[in-house]
Amino acid sequence: MKPTLDEIDNKILALLMDNARLPVSTIAKQVAIARTTVIARIGALEKRGVIAGYGLRLSQTMYQPAVRAYVGLSVEARMAPGLMKFLQQLPEVETLCAVSGAIDYMLTLRCATTEVLDKLLDQIGAQDGVRQTSTSIILSKRIDRAAL
């Protein structure tokens, strides 16, 4: 069962996702509740499993190579398992999501150069069952609440 979150919980979570080291007093001021209430709310969120843990996020200059791209894939359903195995072995694959709509999968690639991306896209497009790819290079992140 999905935990129920109220507006205050959601505000606290958004602040912590932006900066997990944010002082409780700062969260309390921004959410307009008492410091002790923030501590109790965070504790309850941890206990309920809403907050699964805290992590480290490297700076973009340290973590992110020069080129990241979203790639939409249209795939023949019977060939999808083989394609998933192929993609699983590529270190440049950051995420792979099954999606609804005109495409079947959305892939995030992380490559050192545009040349590496180009070759990788050729390899992916040549796989059995890949009908079509559509690529968008990520120019910048405007909001990033991911753990990495």
Side-chain angles (χ1 to χ4, degrees):
M1 187 167 123
K2 186 176 178 181
T4 305
L5 302 175
D6 64 15
E7 185 179 343
I8 292 171
D9 288 335
N10 285 322
K11 286 179 181 179
I12 291 170
L13 290 171
L15 290 167
L16 289 173
M17 284 188 289
D18 284 338
N19 180 3
R21 293 176 53 108
L22 199 61
V24 171
S25 58
T26 303
I27 295 170
K29 285 177 189 171
Q30 291 189 19
V31 179
I33 60 175
R35 191 180 146 287
T36 54
T37 304
V38 171
I39 293 168
R41 291 272 187 145
I42 291 172
L45 290 167
E46 290 171 345
K47 187 175 181 180
R48 291 170 37 205
V50 174
I51 297 175
Y54 299 89
L56 172 75
R57 183 174 17 195
L58 297 174
S59 73
Q60 293 295 325
T61 56
M62 290 297 296
Y63 169 71
Q64 188 172 330
V67 182
R68 292 181 70 234
Y70 295 122
V71 181
L73 299 172
S74 294
V75 177
E76 293 176 33
R78 63 183 173 81
M79 303 300 280
L83 179 62
M84 298 307 113
K85 274 187 170 180
F86 170 75
L87 294 172
Q88 180 71 38
Q89 296 174 17
L90 298 175
E92 296 88 356
V93 172
E94 197 171 67
T95 61
L96 174 66
C97 301
V99 297
S100 63
I103 60 172
D104 302 303
Y105 297 96
M106 183 59 74
L107 181 64
T108 308
L109 296 176
R110 183 183 61 219
C111 299
T113 65
T114 55
E115 290 80 15
V116 171
L117 176 62
D118 187 37
K119 288 178 184 174
L120 190 56
L121 291 170
D122 287 345
Q123 289 176 353
I124 293 169
Q127 293 299 301
D128 288 337
V130 175
R131 287 183 289 200
Q132 182 179 359
T133 65
S134 174
T135 304
S136 296
I137 292 177
I138 300 170
L139 301 175
S140 66
K141 286 186 181 181
R142 301 299 171 104
I143 297 173
D144 182 8
R145 293 187 176 132
L148 287 176

